[in-house]
């Protein structure tokens, strides 16, 4: 599927469309059922799926396609036109989201195998993220609200958490980096960066695993690099491990 995310924008009452392409490189035809879900991201980054229309930021009811099921023949591609009808009473400031799922339907040969209890049938499901941002929303901003060591004696390794808030009014993709400098020796430790994507008015906690047997006095520096911007957010905290 390309792309895997559709970003719609427009004014209340407008109808806007975008196209997504599905490619079938196999020797088998595939049939997919189209269905919608809402989703929210918890503070730990975990995504939770909900029934369409149940989230306060849902736009599932705004979205439609010409077909409720699509067939993609072997060795071919198919374009799906996704239409968003922005309601006339839509908020001029709130970002909304939903997801369009393409769920594979078993064909006759698959169903026969299921009935006979032969083998394991694997069906595919792919999700398309759908976002709507009002045309007046242009503020990109993330704020580091806290940096701390994760307190969990049962954990196999020690971690540091960075709490982040999207205080802008647009969806924000970013990379979070964390570096440690031993203030006694000057030795630096750069931990693997973590990518995030946050809706406005949401909070997320990113956790970094520390090296085993780390010991000493350290200065920890968290750096947020926002996609499409040269603006950085930097936070510091002293640690004693």
């Amino acid at each position: 599927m390309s792309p895997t995310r559709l970003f719609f924008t427009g004014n209340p009452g407008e109808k806007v469309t975008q196209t997504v392409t599905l490619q079938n490189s196999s020797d088998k035809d595939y049939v997919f059922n189209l269905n919608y879900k809402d989703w929210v991201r918890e503070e730990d980054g975990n995504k939770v799926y909900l029934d369409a229309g149940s989230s306060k930021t849902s736009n599932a009811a705004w979205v439609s396609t010409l077909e409720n099921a699509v067939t993609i023949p072997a060795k071919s591609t198919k374009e799906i036109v996704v239409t968003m009808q922005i309601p006339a009473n839509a908020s001029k400031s709130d970002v909304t989201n939903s997801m369009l799922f393409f769920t594979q339907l078993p064909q006759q040969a698959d169903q026969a195998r299921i009935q006979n209890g032969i083998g394991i049938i694997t069906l595919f499901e792919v999700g398309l993220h759908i976002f709507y941002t009002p045309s007046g929303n242009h503020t990109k901003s993330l704020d580091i609200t806290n940096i701390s060591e994760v307190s969990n004696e049962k954990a196999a390794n020690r971690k540091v958490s960075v709490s982040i808030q999207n205080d802008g009014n647009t969806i924000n993709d970013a990379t979070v980096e964390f570096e440690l400098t031993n203030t006694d020796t000057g030795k630096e430790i750069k931990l693997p960066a973590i990518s995030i994507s946050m809706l406005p008015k949401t909070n997320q906690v990113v956790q970094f695993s520390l090296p085993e047997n780390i010991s000493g006095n350290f200065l920890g520096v968290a750096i947020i690099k926002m996609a499409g911007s040269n603006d950085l957010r930097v936070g510091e905290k002293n640690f004693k491990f």
Side-chain angles (χ1 to χ4, degrees):
M1 176 186 292
S2 179
T4 57
R5 300 191 296 176
L6 294 182
F7 297 92
F8 290 92
T9 188
N11 298 310
E14 288 185 340
K15 179 185 289 187
V16 287
T17 62
Q18 291 195 46
T19 301
V20 62
T21 302
L22 298 176
Q23 181 176 4
N24 180 4
S25 59
S26 74
D27 297 320
K28 175 183 176 181
D29 296 348
Y30 284 98
V31 180
F32 291 91
N33 177 55
L34 279 60
N35 58 91
Y36 300 88
K37 289 282 188 182
D38 289 343
W39 61 272
V40 295
R41 196 181 299 279
E42 298 179 324
E43 282 199 357
D44 62 1
N46 182 50
K47 189 182 295 181
V48 178
Y49 294 103
L50 309 167
D51 291 337
S54 60
S55 168
K56 64 180 181 179
T57 61
S58 175
N59 59 26
W62 308 1
V63 185
S64 63
T65 58
L66 294 176
E67 304 167 276
N68 293 323
V70 295
T71 299
I72 309 174
K75 304 294 184 180
S76 70
T77 61
K78 186 175 182 66
E79 291 188 341
I80 308 296
V81 177
V82 182
T83 299
M84 175 175 285
Q85 177 63 63
I86 306 168
N89 62 349
S91 169
K92 295 183 179 180
S93 60
D94 293 339
V95 173
T96 60
N97 65 297
S98 62
M99 183 169 281
L100 171 57
F101 280 103
F102 294 79
T103 306
Q104 182 190 347
L105 298 177
Q107 300 180 42
Q108 289 185 348
D110 298 327
Q111 292 172 344
R113 290 173 60 192
I114 293 173
Q115 291 172 359
N116 293 330
I118 301 173
I120 298 174
I121 307 301
T122 301
L123 300 178
F124 295 104
E125 183 174 65
V126 291
L128 174 68
H129 290 82
I130 297 175
F131 300 96
Y132 165 72
T133 304
S135 56
N137 289 29
H138 302 292
T139 303
K140 266 192 171 184
S141 180
L142 296 175
D143 184 32
I144 297 174
T145 58
N146 189 47
I147 302 174
S148 63
E149 183 179 1
V150 178
S151 178
N152 187 353
E153 296 179 356
K154 296 181 180 180
N157 64 315
R158 305 172 79 169
K159 296 181 179 182
V160 166
S161 68
V162 180
S163 300
I164 303 166
Q165 180 183 64
N166 184 345
D167 56 351
N169 60 13
T170 66
I171 301 153
N172 207 326
D173 296 335
T175 301
V176 187
E177 300 177 356
F178 194 79
E179 302 175 358
L180 288 163
T181 302
N182 188 311
T183 55
D184 298 320
T185 66
K187 181 180 178 180
E188 295 183 350
I189 302 172
K190 188 172 184 178
L191 303 177
I194 297 175
S195 297
I196 60 172
S197 181
M198 296 181 64
L199 290 165
K201 304 176 184 178
T202 61
N203 299 281
Q204 188 167 336
V205 177
V206 179
Q207 293 190 352
F208 293 87
S209 295
L210 299 175
E212 292 185 6
N213 303 318
I214 188 171
S215 179
N217 298 303
F218 289 85
L219 173 65
V221 179
I223 305 170
I224 299 178
K225 297 180 178 179
M226 292 177 277
S229 171
N230 294 323
D231 199 8
L232 300 177
R233 294 293 185 272
V234 180
E236 298 182 351
K237 184 168 184 177
N238 291 307
F239 293 92
K240 184 174 183 179
F241 301 118

